[in-house]
Amino acid sequence: MTDLTPLGAALRTALDGRWAHVRQDARERLTAEEFMPDPTLDMEAHRSRTFDQMRRLAETGQPREGFPVEYGGKDDVGGSVTAFEMLAHGDLSLLVKAGVHWGLFGGAVANLGTQRHHEQYLDAIISFDLPGCFAMTEVGHGSDVQSLRTTATFDAATDELVVHTPDPSATKTYIGGAARDGRLAVVFAQLVTGGRSHGVHAVLVPIRDESGRACPGVTIGDCGAKAGLAGVDNGTLAFDHVRVPREALLNRFGDVAQDGSYSSPIEDPSRRFFTMLGTLVRGRVSVAGAAGSATKTALAIALRYAVQRRQFAAPGSDEEVVLLDYRTHQRKLLPALATTYALHFAQGELVSALHDVQTATEPDERAQRELESRAAGIKALTTWHATATIQACREACGGAGYMWENRLPMLKADTDVFTTFEGDNTVLLQLVAKGLLTGYRDEFGQMDTLGMVRFATRQFAGAVAERTVAGALVQRLVDAAARRDEAVLLDRGEQLRLFEDREAHVLDGLARRLRAAGSAPGEAFAAFNDAQDHLLLAARVHIERIVLEAFVAGIDACEDDAAAALLDRVCDLHVLATVERDKGWFLEHGRLTPARAKAVTAQVNRLCAELRPHALTLVEGFGIPHEWLRASIADPRVAP
Amino acid sequence: MTDLTPLGAALRTALDGRWAHVRQDARERLTAEEFMPDPTLDMEAHRSRTFDQMRRLAETGQPREGFPVEYGGKDDVGGSVTAFEMLAHGDLSLLVKAGVHWGLFGGAVANLGTQRHHEQYLDAIISFDLPGCFAMTEVGHGSDVQSLRTTATFDAATDELVVHTPDPSATKTYIGGAARDGRLAVVFAQLVTGGRSHGVHAVLVPIRDESGRACPGVTIGDCGAKAGLAGVDNGTLAFDHVRVPREALLNRFGDVAQDGSYSSPIEDPSRRFFTMLGTLVRGRVSVAGAAGSATKTALAIALRYAVQRRQFAAPGSDEEVVLLDYRTHQRKLLPALATTYALHFAQGELVSALHDVQTATEPDERAQRELESRAAGIKALTTWHATATIQACREACGGAGYMWENRLPMLKADTDVFTTFEGDNTVLLQLVAKGLLTGYRDEFGQMDTLGMVRFATRQFAGAVAERTVAGALVQRLVDAAARRDEAVLLDRGEQLRLFEDREAHVLDGLARRLRAAGSAPGEAFAAFNDAQDHLLLAARVHIERIVLEAFVAGIDACEDDAAAALLDRVCDLHVLATVERDKGWFLEHGRLTPARAKAVTAQVNRLCAELRPHALTLVEGFGIPHEWLRASIADPRVAP
């Protein structure tokens, strides 16, 4: 990695956070191989290359670290997710293939299975000798996992489970690894014993033998070409009364005895279901991290181009203007850069929370719920931010941004599905909002009557604590808010108060609205539906508050004064650009006067100009080794 | 084409407009071949397929119709652009290849050349026997065409022009047809005679011989893989003192005599340059039309999916809810559908104006300038709308939207560069704004002092008339505006007044701001740059007003009452969704009270619900034959 400027290095330290050693290790370990696929490869060649990369990645031992100590791992959940985030600076086909195999498939075996599964499979999963699939989504049901139609029926006569696809809409689809490489699949199916359904459970089903032939009764299809991620072999799986031993059930949260009786440590079927899904939260946190890395790569490329490329001579001058000196260009890239910083700190807190919850000796249900809610919300905001920012970067690089050699096309195409997989963003934000409402109800009562809430909790709900880890700090800042009129927009306490107040007002309005709505069965959907945009707003402003608090905590923890001062300006830009985007709301609700709203726009412009000279330093802070950028327009030889 | 419902047919008639026969002809003539490329093709195979399609397209005789009558054409400019728009429902690689060859290359020979060029080349161009390139953009200069660095120097000794690339930044790049098929190129270069430069002119330069070998002195490169448009062979061209006869100069607007003396029918060099570029306005109009078609295809696919796909059972019901019954889903797609209708009518007016200006017997410079300004503005808004809408459609189809077989990935990747080519959108909007300022200055004086305006007119400027063709109708509606408080948001006259008033206020503020700014050379750029976001806003709100007026005129011309009534609701949704997006501005400037701003949001929700049952009828109105959709999720067998 080229030497950083002292300020760039200090920023990097601030951003590297709790798993700095994992980031540094990745910077030293990840090789050129991990970065650019060859665009001339056809689909099969790309898949084959990704498979080979998986083998090499397994050999590094890195994928092992997130697994239990008993199987040679380190139980290092946070380190493992951070390593995944770093891998996302490279070829995203490899990333997704790794996420499917070790994260989803391996994670399901580790977290939904018990010792018998661990002993039988974990070594071969860790070494990638047993490529796996995570077969949850069906043609007919994706977001609504509870309604999956594949069945796993216990046959006491043979002590087996019969896995079956009752109709084409129950065919598993988009399953990574199914089309080419997968040998064993975790299949999510309605578990039926003695004619009674116990809801969705996970069963291990072999889909291919060692020679690569489909197992008897398993029909495998190929999803074919996609927008991106050409190296991932997504396919379909259908089962015709496929028999597996009863022990193939991943039985940590629900088991079938030899006599067909069902037992579970969790009485309530709905709570059981959400507990099972909850163990998979790591996937959402990982996708959010990967989206952040792709966004940083795109910004690094677009900003490097923006400080080199000139177009149009200024009036009265022969010298052409550098793109990033144009206000429109600053506005395209710098607020997005600021928000990328904000989301980075929020992601860091999320990973930390994930690690602490999943490695705690005593399970903490409240912390788990809060984690799930945050993971859902941050995943949604981060992946939408990635989609918008990578698109803006492409456009900001003009024709050069459309060329494969400059990486932006691949970043756009590969990440485009991040807003969909591991939970559709729109559905995820509803989960967050419903969690908020549940918390609200707990506090204020009176919401039980609503059919809406029943509908809500079907999808899952999580109580959400009032303040993030930065609680005390935030309170101090809010208390000390200056309220001096001219400086008010740049006062961190006032900014925090503005975000808190918006959240409280939106949530309060939503609760009042739903309370006023009819609760008869026929009216419940209408009431829910009428409030749906309000619901999404509530989720968004809640997560935006959490993101801001994380940024504030990150600055507070920064030990370098110059870096902290620069981060302060970046945070201002993030806040004011967020307020500007939501200006309509703030004006409509009397939170900003028209004069102050105009001042917000002026302030965004001023902050863009102020940060413009630091653009490359802020890119340095991301800590992406130059040789990883691999875009000819992002020539590293240009000094900041 | 499957039978349309009567209302769908009436909408189609309203949308088909002046060149309905061309649209109908395309519906009957365009075959399956024109639609889906094979995603498993590698780049070379895709290029070869596109080349073959070009030959077949030439054989239909259709490309001939836009050329002069003397060469077997029909001088049917509007018909030709409309045919291009229809072709854009198919494979966009073929579209762009056709646009480059017949539109840009053929258009330059026809419009910048004179009889000698027409006689020598037009037949072979029309038949595609002589594949051509349009070599304008260079590595160092794209938007700033006036600063191109390639030179064409007259050598009196041999009566030749010497075409030369003085340094790598002058290499022509992204040139469609250069990498594989092109044989003759229109090269834009600084014309130099007797040591004096006369600015950018176009010269015909052979780049490959009949066997496909590069001509002596011509270095050809390949841009390689791109985000999309894999069938288009973009490449680079560099010239090492390549000699062509003096007559290779396309000499309609500037000529060199045998003695080296330069002459032009247009005295002023800047006016001459913009006149030459102005003949190319057809390209921008064509791209806007193509973006509209791609948007319609994407919406047709996403809406067909949205009315079939169900997810989550409503509370108290076993029946799962159809996606388009969710408010969030309606909001993702229906306002975009409404704006697509609005832009369609604006495009229709633009094509009509283009046809009339380019086929007029007497040139009308004012009309030409106005056309150029509108083409720039509508191209920018339509292509950005395409980018955003196709993205929303992809997300609205979840995982299915990510699969190649559902076409959305290809639509997204292929159209992504539309916001860049034929003029970067940000630069185009500045042209529009500068045209408005010039008009403003003409009326109010006092703007001459600004260095800014000099900078502005370098890029090109066009006076813009105050009202579109719908002028009288709009005036009548505005005069009759009801101003009744409750209905005011749905009163067309009030809506028009709202848009007019916004435009006037923004433009007035911009002019005052620039007038107040310093005009010293050093300050001029700062003044321009400080106002740049204001400038873009002025252009956008101006074009939005024009688009609304076109929609109003389109409804007025609709002869079917039921269709007109439905279009009225669509127009309301377009207007209110536009106001909602710009709510901050309307509130900030006291144009909406907070209460009315909230009513706008409620009204958007209500209109979405009201139009929801008509979603497929509105798709029918686009007149896309079902067999063109070619997406497995857009099954045509589902009745509206």
Side-chain angles (χ1 to χ4, degrees):
Chain A
M1 183 149 182
T2 316
D3 287 343
L4 299 182
T5 60
L7 188 51
L11 287 170
R12 199 187 81 174
T13 301
L15 265 65
D16 271 2
R18 185 166 166 191
W19 282 274
H21 59 288
V22 173
R23 295 183 194 275
Q24 195 48 37
D25 178 59
R27 289 181 190 120
E28 285 157 16
R29 184 181 44 75
L30 292 179
T31 61
E33 261 311 300
E34 265 81 47
F35 286 91
M36 283 278 278
D38 178 349
T40 66
L41 293 180
D42 64 21
M43 192 173 75
E44 175 52 30
H46 196 155
R47 286 176 175 182
S48 159
R49 179 178 187 277
T50 306
F51 184 85
D52 294 342
Q53 286 174 307
M54 285 288 288
R55 287 217 170 280
R56 272 195 300 277
L57 195 54
E59 285 159 14
T60 66
Q62 192 281 316
R64 183 176 296 272
E65 301 189 358
F67 285 92
V69 175
E70 306 90 279
Y71 299 92
K74 295 186 179 168
D75 266 329
D76 186 0
V77 178
S80 160
V81 171
T82 304
F84 188 79
E85 183 187 320
M86 294 305 281
L87 191 61
H89 285 293
D91 181 351
L92 295 166
S93 283
L94 169 60
L95 178 93
V96 170
K97 185 104 177 158
V100 166
H101 174 75
W102 287 296
L104 295 175
F105 168 68
V109 172
N111 296 307
L112 300 180
T114 50
Q115 198 176 1
R116 68 185 187 222
H117 307 106
H118 300 170
E119 282 173 3
Q120 190 172 355
Y121 297 115
L122 281 186
D123 273 342
I125 290 173
I126 291 168
S127 66
F128 195 54
D129 287 332
L130 180 66
C133 299
F134 183 79
M136 180 181 271
T137 297
E138 297 177 355
V139 170
H141 293 90
S143 294
D144 187 3
V145 174
Q146 223 164 351
S147 300
L148 292 178
R149 295 171 50 72
T150 300
T151 51
T153 308
F154 180 62
D155 180 355
T158 60
D159 200 29
E160 289 174 319
L161 289 165
V162 183
V163 177
H164 186 60
T165 304
D167 60 65
S169 83
T171 303
K172 299 292 179 185
T173 190
Y174 315 138
I175 310 304
R180 181 183 184 273
D181 301 327
R183 293 203 4 242
L184 184 65
V186 170
V187 176
F188 287 81
Q190 303 289 348
L191 177 67
V192 180
T193 69
R196 208 182 131 214
S197 174
H198 296 278
V200 172
H201 287 67
V203 184
L204 287 169
V205 184
I207 58 168
R208 272 192 189 84
D209 61 24
E210 299 221 9
S211 73
R213 269 187 307 259
C215 294
V218 179
T219 304
I220 300 179
D222 193 326
C223 292
K226 305 185 294 293
L229 300 175
V232 184
D233 54 324
N234 297 86
T236 62
L237 294 172
F239 305 97
D240 182 10
H241 299 94
V242 174
R243 291 178 168 267
V244 294
R246 179 172 54 89
E247 291 78 13
L249 178 69
L250 295 178
N251 60 335
R252 178 170 164 201
F253 296 109
D255 204 0
V256 176
Q258 211 169 344
D259 65 358
S261 60
Y262 178 82
S263 63
S264 168
I266 305 174
E267 200 84 16
D268 181 63
S270 180
R271 224 185 107 229
R272 184 191 312 138
F273 172 72
F274 289 114
T275 302
M276 286 194 216
L277 285 198
T279 59
L280 307 173
V281 67
R282 207 186 290 189
R284 279 183 192 153
V285 176
S286 298
V287 169
S293 295
T295 307
K296 288 168 197 160
T297 302
L299 281 168
I301 293 167
L303 284 164
R304 283 210 161 269
Y305 184 68
V307 298
Q308 294 171 55
R309 175 78 176 177
R310 295 171 178 272
Q311 201 75 176
F312 292 114
S317 163
D318 284 344
E319 199 168 34
E320 294 177 306
V321 180
V322 170
L323 290 195
L324 199 56
D325 286 336
Y326 287 106
R327 173 165 289 171
T328 49
H329 216 79
Q330 292 171 6
R331 276 190 156 263
K332 272 179 202 166
L333 300 176
L334 298 182
L337 175 68
T339 295
T340 304
Y341 263 79
L343 290 168
H344 175 94
F345 285 109
Q347 176 70 14
E349 272 193 9
L350 183 66
V351 172
S352 228
L354 171 77
H355 183 89
D356 294 342
V357 166
Q358 295 200 341
T359 57
T361 42
E362 285 296 303
D364 177 341
E365 198 172 339
R366 185 186 159 85
Q368 169 72 24
R369 281 223 199 121
E370 193 175 315
L371 171 70
E372 287 167 16
S373 169
R374 288 210 183 150
I378 287 174
K379 185 270 185 186
L381 261 59
T382 305
T383 55
W384 268 327
H385 177 67
T387 294
T389 303
I390 297 170
Q391 180 70 40
C393 289
R394 199 304 286 158
E395 292 180 27
C397 295
Y402 196 64
M403 300 297 127
W404 185 280
E405 64 168 9
N406 291 317
R407 282 196 71 184
L408 294 165
M410 192 176 57
L411 285 168
K412 180 72 186 72
D414 285 348
T415 59
D416 204 64
V417 77
F418 286 17
T419 56
T420 297
F421 69 18
E422 296 293 315
D424 174 90
N425 281 1
T426 301
V427 174
L428 291 182
L429 285 190
Q430 291 178 59
L431 301 188
V432 173
K434 288 160 182 174
L436 293 173
L437 284 170
T438 308
Y440 199 94
R441 184 193 55 187
D442 291 349
E443 211 164 327
F444 300 97
Q446 286 187 318
M447 300 259 307
D448 267 339
T449 51
L450 288 171
M452 189 251 117
V453 172
R454 234 181 340 155
F455 187 47
T457 47
R458 266 204 65 199
Q459 297 183 25
F460 117 8
V464 177
E466 272 309 288
R467 282 253 166 76
T468 61
V469 293
L473 167 66
V474 168
Q475 193 57 52
R476 206 172 68 233
L477 288 166
V478 170
D479 292 347
R483 286 175 176 272
R484 282 155 305 149
D485 224 47
E486 70 287 3
V488 75
L489 291 170
L490 298 179
D491 184 293
R492 191 76 68 229
E494 285 292 345
Q495 292 171 351
L496 287 160
R497 175 144 55 194
L498 202 64
F499 276 44
E500 277 197 0
D501 168 62
R502 179 177 57 151
E503 178 183 358
H505 187 86
V506 170
L507 184 59
D508 195 57
L510 176 63
R512 268 186 290 115
R513 187 170 170 179
L514 290 171
R515 200 181 290 143
S519 61
E523 290 166 44
F525 176 69
F528 161 80
N529 206 30
D530 277 353
Q532 209 184 7
D533 49 339
H534 202 149
L535 210 68
L536 295 184
L537 177 65
R540 180 171 62 76
V541 300
H542 167 69
I543 299 294
E544 284 182 353
R545 194 258 300 165
I546 284 180
V547 169
L548 175 56
E549 293 186 359
F551 202 165
V552 170
I555 298 172
D556 190 59
C558 175
E559 291 171 3
D560 181 280
D561 289 345
L566 183 54
L567 287 173
D568 259 327
R569 291 288 75 72
V570 175
C571 187
D572 283 337
L573 179 57
H574 164 68
V575 169
L576 291 171
T578 303
V579 172
E580 189 185 40
R581 209 167 39 237
D582 214 11
K583 196 184 258 192
W585 189 90
F586 286 104
L587 283 158
E588 210 170 77
H589 294 83
R591 263 61 180 180
L592 283 182
T593 60
R596 194 165 285 176
K598 287 181 189 171
V600 168
T601 296
Q603 199 61 255
V604 170
N605 288 335
R606 211 166 299 139
L607 286 162
C608 281
E610 205 177 317
L611 289 173
R612 187 287 169 234
H614 301 289
L616 286 197
T617 309
L618 289 165
V619 165
E620 282 188 319
F622 290 152
I624 311 169
H626 291 312
E627 53 272 27
W628 290 5
L629 287 184
R630 296 267 163 153
S632 55
I633 55 171
D635 190 329
R637 285 161 302 182
V638 176
Chain B
M1 184 152 178
T2 316
D3 288 342
L4 298 182
T5 60
L7 188 51
L11 286 171
R12 200 187 78 173
T13 302
L15 265 63
D16 271 2
R18 186 168 166 189
W19 282 275
H21 59 286
V22 173
R23 294 182 194 276
Q24 195 48 37
D25 178 58
R27 288 180 190 120
E28 287 157 14
R29 184 180 43 75
L30 291 179
T31 62
E33 262 310 301
E34 266 81 47
F35 288 90
M36 283 278 279
D38 178 349
T40 66
L41 293 180
D42 64 22
M43 192 172 76
E44 174 52 30
H46 196 156
R47 286 176 175 183
S48 159
R49 179 179 185 276
T50 305
F51 184 84
D52 295 342
Q53 287 174 306
M54 284 288 287
R55 287 217 170 278
R56 273 196 299 278
L57 194 55
E59 284 160 14
T60 66
Q62 192 281 317
R64 185 175 295 274
E65 301 189 359
F67 285 92
V69 175
E70 306 90 279
Y71 298 91
K74 294 186 180 169
D75 266 329
D76 187 0
V77 178
S80 159
V81 172
T82 305
F84 188 80
E85 182 186 321
M86 295 304 282
L87 191 62
H89 285 293
D91 180 352
L92 295 166
S93 283
L94 170 60
L95 178 95
V96 169
K97 184 104 176 159
V100 167
H101 173 75
W102 287 298
L104 294 176
F105 168 66
V109 173
N111 296 308
L112 301 180
T114 52
Q115 199 175 0
R116 68 185 187 222
H117 307 106
H118 300 167
E119 281 172 3
Q120 189 174 353
Y121 297 114
L122 281 186
D123 273 341
I125 290 172
I126 291 168
S127 65
F128 195 53
D129 289 331
L130 181 65
C133 299
F134 183 80
M136 181 181 272
T137 297
E138 297 177 354
V139 169
H141 293 92
S143 294
D144 187 2
V145 174
Q146 223 164 349
S147 300
L148 294 178
R149 295 172 48 74
T150 300
T151 50
T153 307
F154 180 62
D155 180 354
T158 60
D159 201 27
E160 288 174 320
L161 289 165
V162 184
V163 178
H164 185 61
T165 303
D167 60 66
S169 83
T171 303
K172 299 292 178 184
T173 190
Y174 315 138
I175 310 303
R180 181 184 183 274
D181 301 327
R183 290 197 10 237
L184 184 65
V186 170
V187 176
F188 288 81
Q190 304 289 348
L191 178 65
V192 180
T193 69
R196 207 180 133 215
S197 174
H198 297 277
V200 171
H201 287 66
V203 183
L204 288 168
V205 183
I207 57 167
R208 273 192 189 83
D209 61 24
E210 299 221 8
S211 74
R213 270 189 304 259
C215 294
V218 179
T219 303
I220 300 179
D222 193 326
C223 292
K226 307 186 293 292
L229 300 176
V232 184
D233 55 323
N234 297 84
T236 61
L237 295 172
F239 305 96
D240 181 11
H241 299 94
V242 174
R243 291 178 167 267
V244 294
R246 179 172 53 89
E247 292 77 13
L249 179 69
L250 295 178
N251 60 335
R252 179 170 164 201
F253 296 110
D255 204 1
V256 176
Q258 213 170 343
D259 66 357
S261 61
Y262 178 82
S263 64
S264 168
I266 304 174
E267 201 83 17
D268 180 63
S270 181
R271 222 184 110 228
R272 185 191 311 139
F273 172 72
F274 289 113
T275 302
M276 287 194 217
L277 285 197
T279 59
L280 307 173
V281 66
R282 208 186 290 189
R284 279 182 194 156
V285 177
S286 298
V287 169
S293 294
T295 308
K296 288 168 195 160
T297 301
L299 281 168
I301 293 167
L303 283 164
R304 283 209 160 270
Y305 184 69
V307 299
Q308 295 170 55
R309 174 78 176 178
R310 295 170 179 274
Q311 200 75 180
F312 292 113
S317 163
D318 285 343
E319 198 167 37
E320 294 177 306
V321 180
V322 170
L323 289 195
L324 199 56
D325 287 336
Y326 287 106
R327 173 164 289 169
T328 49
H329 216 79
Q330 293 171 6
R331 276 190 157 265
K332 271 179 202 166
L333 299 177
L334 298 182
L337 175 68
T339 294
T340 304
Y341 262 78
L343 290 168
H344 175 95
F345 286 109
Q347 176 71 14
E349 271 194 10
L350 182 65
V351 172
S352 230
L354 171 76
H355 183 88
D356 294 343
V357 166
Q358 294 200 340
T359 59
T361 43
E362 286 296 304
D364 177 341
E365 199 174 337
R366 185 185 160 85
Q368 169 72 24
R369 280 221 201 124
E370 192 174 317
L371 172 69
E372 287 167 16
S373 168
R374 289 213 182 146
I378 288 175
K379 185 270 184 184
L381 261 61
T382 304
T383 54
W384 268 327
H385 177 67
T387 294
T389 303
I390 297 169
Q391 180 71 41
C393 288
R394 198 304 286 159
E395 291 180 27
C397 294
Y402 196 65
M403 300 297 127
W404 186 281
E405 63 168 9
N406 290 318
R407 281 196 72 186
L408 295 165
M410 193 176 54
L411 286 168
K412 180 71 186 70
D414 285 348
T415 58
D416 204 64
V417 76
F418 286 17
T419 55
T420 297
F421 69 19
E422 296 294 314
D424 174 90
N425 281 1
T426 301
V427 174
L428 290 182
L429 284 190
Q430 291 179 59
L431 301 188
V432 174
K434 289 160 183 174
L436 293 171
L437 285 171
T438 309
Y440 200 93
R441 183 194 54 187
D442 291 349
E443 215 166 324
F444 300 97
Q446 287 189 316
M447 301 261 305
D448 269 340
T449 49
L450 288 171
M452 189 249 118
V453 172
R454 234 181 342 156
F455 187 46
T457 47
R458 265 204 66 197
Q459 297 184 23
F460 115 12
V464 177
E466 272 308 291
R467 281 256 165 75
T468 62
V469 293
L473 167 66
V474 168
Q475 193 56 53
R476 208 171 67 232
L477 287 166
V478 169
D479 291 346
R483 286 175 174 271
R484 281 156 306 151
D485 223 48
E486 71 287 5
V488 73
L489 291 170
L490 298 179
D491 183 294
R492 192 76 69 228
E494 285 291 349
Q495 292 171 351
L496 288 160
R497 176 144 55 194
L498 203 63
F499 276 45
E500 278 196 1
D501 169 62
R502 179 178 55 152
E503 179 184 357
H505 187 86
V506 170
L507 184 58
D508 195 57
L510 177 63
R512 267 186 291 116
R513 185 170 172 179
L514 290 172
R515 201 181 290 141
S519 61
E523 292 167 41
F525 176 70
F528 161 80
N529 206 29
D530 277 352
Q532 209 185 9
D533 50 340
H534 203 151
L535 208 70
L536 295 184
L537 177 65
R540 180 171 63 77
V541 300
H542 167 70
I543 299 294
E544 284 182 352
R545 193 258 300 163
I546 284 181
V547 169
L548 175 56
E549 293 187 359
F551 201 165
V552 170
I555 299 172
D556 190 59
C558 175
E559 291 172 3
D560 182 280
D561 289 346
L566 184 54
L567 287 174
D568 260 327
R569 291 289 75 73
V570 175
C571 188
D572 282 338
L573 179 56
H574 163 68
V575 169
L576 291 171
T578 303
V579 172
E580 190 186 39
R581 209 169 37 238
D582 214 10
K583 199 184 257 191
W585 188 90
F586 286 104
L587 282 158
E588 211 171 75
H589 295 85
R591 263 61 182 180
L592 284 181
T593 60
R596 194 165 285 176
K598 287 181 187 170
V600 168
T601 295
Q603 199 60 256
V604 169
N605 287 335
R606 212 166 297 139
L607 285 162
C608 281
E610 205 178 315
L611 288 173
R612 184 290 167 233
H614 302 289
L616 286 198
T617 310
L618 289 165
V619 165
E620 282 189 320
F622 290 152
I624 310 170
H626 290 314
E627 53 272 28
W628 290 6
L629 286 184
R630 296 267 165 152
S632 54
I633 55 170
D635 190 331
R637 286 160 302 182
V638 177

